[in-house]
Amino acid sequence: DYLAASEYVDAAIAAEASEAKKKPLLGIKDNLVALFVNSGTADCESLQNIYGPKVEANQTDLAYLKKVIDIMKMMKCTESEAYQQAAFYVYKIEPSADAATGCAYQAFKKGDIDGAVKFFDEAVNLETDNVKKAEKAYAAAVLASAKKLSQARAYCQKAIGFNENYGAPYILIANLYAMSPNWSDEPALNKCTYFAVIDKLQRAKQVDPSVAEEANKLI
């Protein structure tokens, strides 16, 4: 019912030339979303059951796949197999930042960290908004940190380059340093590692107050 009603209102919006008449139609669309979200049927498990088979049956229908992705994103179900599979099929037809991100999570779910990082690289390249580029570069850093610390740090620096007020990459760099403090044969130098750790944490809360609580806890 939600999908059918959404199609009707989308068609009405597309056909309406008057901005004054479009406004109430947009309100109807917002209300449809609210009704669907609050219906109690739109949890990730039920969406997976609904869309899992349909994604496979419509793997060349770009418009349908994009609708599935939009709904799953709206309901924060991006961990669901249906979302990730839809993203993969969209990526094959029409590569985009969101589709590449879905492919990255799908690769990670299968244990392919290198493949996931490559898809995040592609997502960063396809993304046009620098804040979103930073988020995708940071996501790549988080995945890379499971295997390659130097690669993870490089992606953190890339994220900061896209958005200098992004605290999370600084915190991840601090954690990466703290994971390998004994880099020298000289104990005094090893202790200095924690000066670098604290410096990154101080910087994190300086540029991004939203991470201050986490940074202070780690300090």
Side-chain angles (χ1 to χ4, degrees):
D1 288 345
Y2 168 73
L3 285 173
S6 294
E7 284 178 13
Y8 295 144
V9 76
D10 283 341
I13 290 167
E16 183 55 68
S18 166
E19 290 300 319
K21 291 180 180 177
K22 266 188 185 179
K23 193 172 180 181
L25 291 173
L26 291 168
I28 290 169
K29 185 173 182 178
D30 289 341
N31 286 337
L32 286 171
V33 172
L35 285 166
F36 182 58
V37 169
N38 294 317
S39 67
T41 61
D43 61 273
C44 294
E45 185 179 354
S46 62
L47 289 176
Q48 173 62 39
N49 291 336
I50 292 167
Y51 292 121
K54 290 185 178 180
V55 165
E56 292 303 317
N58 292 276
Q59 56 185 267
T60 59
D61 185 340
L62 187 61
Y64 180 80
L65 293 170
K66 283 183 174 180
K67 279 183 185 173
V68 173
I69 287 172
D70 286 344
I71 291 168
M72 300 293 264
K73 279 173 65 179
M74 179 180 73
M75 297 306 299
K76 296 182 172 59
C77 297
T78 54
E79 295 291 313
S80 298
E81 183 70 24
Y83 169 83
Q84 294 171 3
Q85 201 61 34
F88 174 69
Y89 291 137
V90 168
Y91 182 81
K92 286 172 69 176
I93 302 166
E94 182 184 272
S96 69
D98 282 345
T101 299
C103 291
Y105 284 121
Q106 187 180 48
F108 179 69
K109 207 169 181 180
K110 293 176 179 176
D112 181 7
I113 293 173
D114 289 338
V117 170
K118 284 178 184 176
F119 274 119
F120 269 123
D121 262 339
E122 187 69 10
V124 169
N125 291 334
L126 291 166
E127 183 57 71
T128 55
D129 181 278
N130 273 356
V131 170
K132 291 180 179 177
K133 275 181 180 282
E135 289 170 354
K136 289 172 173 59
Y138 172 69
V142 172
L143 298 189
S145 67
K147 286 175 67 178
K148 300 175 182 176
L149 301 189
S150 61
Q151 187 183 38
R153 183 178 179 277
Y155 277 103
C156 283
Q157 298 287 17
K158 189 180 283 192
I160 292 165
F162 290 127
N163 179 9
E164 61 185 14
N165 297 317
Y166 194 9
Y170 284 108
I171 288 179
L172 181 53
I173 292 173
N175 280 318
L176 293 172
Y177 287 166
M179 285 164 64
S180 304
N182 299 317
W183 55 275
S184 171
D185 292 331
E186 178 57 56
L189 289 177
N190 289 333
K191 287 183 180 180
C192 290
T193 302
Y194 293 101
F195 291 123
V197 172
I198 290 172
D199 178 66
K200 292 298 179 187
L201 294 171
Q202 296 282 16
R203 181 68 178 158
K205 61 180 185 171
Q206 180 185 350
V207 302
D208 186 356
S210 72
V211 303
E213 185 178 349
E214 184 183 0
N216 284 331
K217 183 180 175 183
L218 290 168
I219 289 168

